[in-house]
Amino acid sequence: MSFNVAIDGPAGAGKSTIAKALAKELQFVYVDTGAMYRALAYFFLSRKADISNEEEIGEFVKEATVEIAYEDGKQQVLLNGENVTSHLREEEVGNAASRTSAYPAVRAHLLKLQQDLAATQDVIMDGRDIGTCVLPKAQLKIFLTASVETRAKRRYDELLAKGEQADLSEIAAGIQERDERDMNREIAPLKQAEDAVLVDSSYMSIDEVVNTIRNLVMERRA
């Protein structure tokens, strides 16, 4: 039987970084559901779709196929056969994904792929509603969070490292707005599953978070 780890939490909490490191250590398959939603958002933007029009997005999504592939051990996201991984961290794409991922047609389009993968392989899957909706029977659920200030500073440093201009206060405001939108959306809102373990990474290093969750996996598999 496969072992599933669900990691949920708000934007910028470090879910992807932690999940990738854990998957490598445990030799699990890492599934970045956020990247899959961002791939669809990139598709909508590239097609100049109105992301506020749910009916229009519901039609456009039928034309998109999202696949997960691995190249040199690194996850790549393919959109209609094209590798779009390099576009997925763009701010416009992230904001569009936050909006469009709430649409039932978009969620249904990706849900079956995610669940089928988890049913046959040991996976670590991260997102906003993995423990509550996508993998409700996961053997281990983590709700990974951090303060808005911590998450904004992480994103600010990331952008500066890429040589991009950034405003810390604007980033913080954007994160706060995205949190409120994700937590209050009608379909699959961001929330901690009742049986999830809360991990606040505000004052923890990546290694400390990885070790904490790895120990929990070992306990549950014993």
Side-chain angles (χ1 to χ4, degrees), residues 11 33-54 57 61 87-103 106-107 110 128 174 177-178 181-182 185:
T33 61
M36 298 171 78
Y37 282 107
R38 286 192 290 274
L40 287 181
Y42 176 74
F43 175 73
F44 301 143
L45 292 171
S46 66
R47 295 294 299 273
K48 301 189 183 308
D50 179 0
I51 62 172
S52 65
N53 187 324
E54 182 176 348
I57 292 300
V61 77
H87 298 287
L88 303 186
R89 295 295 295 171
E90 295 171 3
E91 288 293 309
E92 183 182 20
V93 172
N95 287 327
S98 177
R99 292 179 180 278
T100 58
S101 64
Y103 298 150
V106 173
R107 305 195 68 79
L110 294 179
R128 301 287 193 278
E177 179 184 345
R178 189 179 303 182
R181 186 164 62 239
D182 288 347
R185 67 191 186 192

Side-chain angles (χ1 to χ4, degrees), residues 5 7 12 15 37 39 47 57 64 67 83 89 95 97 110 123 126 137 164 171 176 187 196:
V5 180
I7 302 181
K15 300 185 299 296
Y37 282 107
R47 295 294 299 273
I57 292 300
E67 300 172 278
N83 191 331
R89 295 295 295 171
N95 287 327
L110 294 179
V123 303
D126 72 301
K137 295 183 180 179
E164 299 180 26
I171 293 172
Q176 184 72 54
I187 304 297

